[in-house]
Amino acid sequence: VQLQASGGGLVQAGGSLRLSCAASGILFRSYHMGWYRQAPGKQREFVATIRTGFGTYYADSVKGRFSISRDNTKNTVYLQMNGLNPEDTGVYYCNAVTMRGVYSTPLFDSWGQGTLVTVSS
């Protein structure tokens, strides 16, 4: 499996970015997908997931600001990020996930390089 995240960059607080993650080597439409992030010096954390049936779930810290979506024809999952703040700074990754209720667990050990988001105050 290959997961290629892109779309990160430097943005001022209050700004927006749209991340993309293209997946290959899997039957994309059969997998729930998730976004995670890792801030400097911190552990990787959950951001959002989208089910194969398009149900979505968000971390409380991003709820109302971020929106996850997917395009099965392009094997791509997106993360629209609005109202960014410096606490959103980090490397963002996508992965396929397994889900139990609203809780997700990353499926693959290979995360790809991720995409860096830096939010300045």
Side-chain angles (χ1 to χ4, degrees), residues 49-99:
T49 56
I50 184 166
R51 285 183 173 271
T52 56
F54 297 87
T56 58
Y57 306 90
Y58 298 92
D60 288 343
S61 59
V62 307
K63 202 171 294 183
R65 300 187 297 122
F66 290 11
S67 178
I68 187 172
S69 61
R70 64 190 297 161
D71 186 339
N72 289 340
T73 66
K74 297 181 179 179
N75 291 354
T76 300
V77 60
Y78 304 97
L79 187 68
Q80 177 67 43
M81 306 187 296
N82 300 325
L84 285 161
N85 59 60
E87 290 70 38
D88 296 315
T89 293
V91 180
Y92 284 69
Y93 304 87
C94 77
N95 204 329
V97 300
T98 59
M99 296 199 70

Side-chain angles (χ1 to χ4, degrees), residues 3 5 19 21 32-39 43-50 57 59 62 66 68 77-79 81 88-100 102-108 111-117:
L3 301 164
L19 306 183
C21 180
H32 310 309
M33 295 296 297
W35 282 98
Y36 293 76
R37 67 186 180 188
Q38 187 166 20
Q43 290 188 329
R44 188 177 288 146
E45 65 176 4
F46 162 75
V47 174
T49 56
I50 184 166
Y57 306 90
V62 307
F66 290 11
I68 187 172
V77 60
Y78 304 97
L79 187 68
M81 306 187 296
D88 296 315
T89 293
V91 180
Y92 284 69
Y93 304 87
C94 77
N95 204 329
V97 300
T98 59
M99 296 199 70
R100 178 174 294 180
V102 302
Y103 299 103
S104 62
T105 302
L107 185 59
F108 298 118
W111 287 86
Q113 291 187 337
T115 187
L116 176 63
V117 173

Side-chain angles (χ1 to χ4, degrees), residues 19-42:
L19 306 183
S20 301
C21 180
S24 59
I26 60 172
L27 187 59
F28 180 80
R29 65 178 182 269
S30 298
Y31 288 88
H32 310 309
M33 295 296 297
W35 282 98
Y36 293 76
R37 67 186 180 188
Q38 187 166 20
K42 295 187 177 182

